[in-house]
Amino acid sequence: MSDERSFPDRVLGFYDVPMWQHLEEGAFKLQRCEACGAFRYPPGPVCHDCLSPESQWTEVGGGGEILSHATFHKGYLPGYETPYSVVAVRLDEGPIVVSNIEGAEPADDWIGRRVSLVLVPRGDAYVLPRFQLA
């Protein structure tokens, strides 16, 4: 699904660039520590568990569980029509990712609902990792 609305530019840090390049190639990859196996998000210079600087970019399965959500009724960013919902998802691999729900939203309780990753192109701008109900 492509969306031609105007979206804000990304602000990329040094460690973010490879993740966004992988998204453009159609894969959601996160750093995985070579010493202890922990996935890290957001990307960074060392493992948050063992402080090892060694990591590999490894594809994640995309499954997860909603930990929290909020619905915004005021517009803060171009390209996001109100109301829109934001979710915090704990991936099956461990990291917590904050993103949006694509498609149908839960009609009742959001917490604990299973979701799966979808990669959503935003026109010619970039690809965003989003989630849909599983």
Side-chain angles (χ1 to χ4, degrees):
M1 163 166 57
S2 180
D3 193 329
E4 299 301 324
R5 290 178 289 172
S6 174
F7 282 84
D9 289 335
R10 297 170 294 174
V11 178
L12 299 179
F14 177 75
Y15 299 101
D16 300 328
V17 173
M19 182 187 74
W20 289 98
Q21 288 172 334
H22 292 299
L23 285 167
E24 293 296 326
E25 296 165 1
F28 189 35
K29 294 185 178 184
L30 300 179
Q31 290 173 309
R32 186 171 190 181
C33 179
E34 290 185 352
C36 73
F39 280 89
R40 69 178 98 137
Y41 180 84
V46 298
C47 177
H48 53 76
D49 285 350
C50 72
L51 301 180
S52 170
E54 304 300 323
S55 67
Q56 288 281 345
W57 287 93
T58 305
E59 190 164 5
V60 295
E65 181 178 296
I66 297 176
L67 297 178
S68 182
H69 75 96
T71 300
F72 290 85
H73 296 276
K74 179 180 178 184
Y76 293 98
L77 297 169
Y80 289 84
E81 294 179 18
T82 58
Y84 64 93
S85 297
V86 176
V87 291
V89 173
R90 180 177 304 279
L91 297 175
D92 293 338
E93 292 82 3
I96 297 171
V97 175
V98 176
S99 187
N100 302 95
I101 290 283
E102 286 289 314
E105 294 182 349
D108 49 5
D109 191 19
W110 291 55
I111 307 304
R113 295 291 300 265
R114 293 288 302 168
V115 291
S116 58
L117 178 76
V118 290
L119 300 181
V120 179
R122 292 301 180 195
D124 293 332
Y126 43 84
V127 175
L128 292 172
R130 297 290 178 89
F131 294 93
Q132 64 186 10
L133 293 176

